[in-house]
Amino acid sequence: MNIETTPPAPSVVDDATYQAELDALRVREKAHTHEGDSIAAARRRLPMVEVDPTITLVGANGPVPLLAVFEGRSQLIAYFHMWHTDQPVAEQCEGCTFFNGQVRELSYLHSRDVTYATLCQGPYDVSVGYRDFMGWDVPWYSAQDSADALLGDRPRSPAPLICYLRQDDRVFETFWTSGRGLEPMAPTYGLLDMTTYGRQESWEDSPAGWPQRWERRTRDIMRTDGRPTAQWSRLRSHP
């Protein structure tokens, strides 16, 4: 017999006590926001390094130079999507599917003269099929033959996010990040952080007994029944 147990929950208090605790937390939240603003200000003042604008990628109409990926705008945010060669859909990168799959509405970026594009590290014809299966409509290019030139010799994770600036026909790299630096791509995490049980990952500082079902450094954190979690809604919509 399966016995379901209700997980522990916060203590129940009166409204005044609840609001007082929330007000105290708000002070820390505002300090956190202001520190983020300060870090962003420092990021805007970073130096930059020049990149060859003729590095070739492959898009829907064949080979194109990096310069064309800007789509005429002055800035480019590029996510280097990992690709597991010769692997089926179920074995494609769960992390890239999680992060890249949550960047959907691009009009606000465009209004700031910023283009967003995926530079997949696999072949175009195969990988764009994955984009279409997932129902994504972000600009998609293959960087299979150009990733080494774009990423350079600096140690980076397999799937960094890189920001570029275009000045006429010159291109510069201005910032890159990976790991938890990718979290702005995934509003899911920010929303979960507001809930009682958080992300339910084992590294979190939660009270004893709080559900923590996932280990951060395992593939299962972004997988369900052997597939990247977001694939299931697509499979179920195609009987």
Side-chain angles (χ1 to χ4, degrees):
M1 181 175 65
N2 293 328
I3 300 176
E4 293 187 4
T5 59
T6 301
S11 58
V12 178
V13 297
D14 61 80
D15 189 68
T17 302
Y18 165 72
Q19 189 61 49
E21 293 280 353
L22 188 59
D23 289 344
L25 184 64
R26 285 279 189 264
V27 174
R28 297 177 62 191
E29 287 182 334
K30 288 182 181 298
H32 177 72
T33 299
H34 293 157
E35 177 61 13
D37 292 341
S38 179
I39 292 171
R43 191 181 295 120
R44 290 192 292 272
R45 289 165 172 80
L46 284 172
M48 59 188 183
V49 62
E50 191 158 11
V51 179
D52 181 357
T54 67
I55 291 174
T56 301
L57 301 106
V58 178
N61 298 314
V64 295
L66 174 62
L67 201 64
V69 180
F70 283 77
E71 298 179 345
R73 300 183 182 92
S74 66
Q75 298 182 84
L76 169 66
I77 300 172
Y79 181 68
F80 285 73
H81 191 108
M82 287 180 61
W83 188 256
H84 300 316
T85 304
D86 298 326
Q87 294 299 308
V89 166
E91 291 302 318
Q92 290 307 320
C93 181
E94 62 281 350
C96 289
T97 300
F98 175 80
F99 285 109
N100 201 27
Q102 295 184 63
V103 183
R104 299 271 57 83
E105 179 55 67
L106 304 182
S107 62
Y108 299 101
L109 292 174
H110 295 170
S111 73
R112 268 68 172 181
D113 201 28
V114 177
T115 293
Y116 177 89
T118 298
L119 307 187
C120 185
Q121 299 179 61
Y124 179 81
D125 290 344
V126 176
S127 66
V128 77
Y130 186 70
R131 181 201 69 170
D132 295 343
F133 162 69
M134 294 302 300
W136 304 339
D137 56 3
V138 297
W140 191 274
Y141 299 86
S142 170
Q144 183 179 35
D145 298 326
S146 54
D148 288 346
L150 287 166
L151 297 177
D153 297 329
R154 293 183 295 283
R156 314 197 202 215
S157 82
L161 184 77
I162 301 182
C163 297
Y164 299 97
L165 175 69
R166 179 178 68 85
Q167 293 183 330
D168 296 324
D169 292 336
R170 300 175 69 188
V171 173
F172 303 87
E173 180 183 321
T174 62
F175 178 74
W176 75 272
T177 191
S178 61
R180 293 195 66 182
L182 300 177
E183 289 188 4
M185 298 175 66
T188 293
Y189 270 152
L191 292 171
L192 285 172
D193 285 343
M194 296 181 187
T195 67
T196 295
Y197 298 128
R199 305 181 190 191
Q200 300 175 47
E201 297 174 8
S202 60
W203 64 271
E204 289 180 288
D205 179 5
S206 294
W210 252 232
Q212 293 185 315
R213 299 180 175 90
W214 290 279
E215 295 288 337
R216 180 168 183 83
R217 304 222 175 252
T218 66
R219 299 180 73 193
D220 289 343
I221 194 171
M222 296 170 183
R223 284 182 167 262
T224 300
D225 296 334
R227 286 180 175 270
T229 300
Q231 289 187 5
W232 284 108
S233 61
R234 278 75 181 176
L235 291 167
R236 289 166 181 153
S237 67
H238 294 85

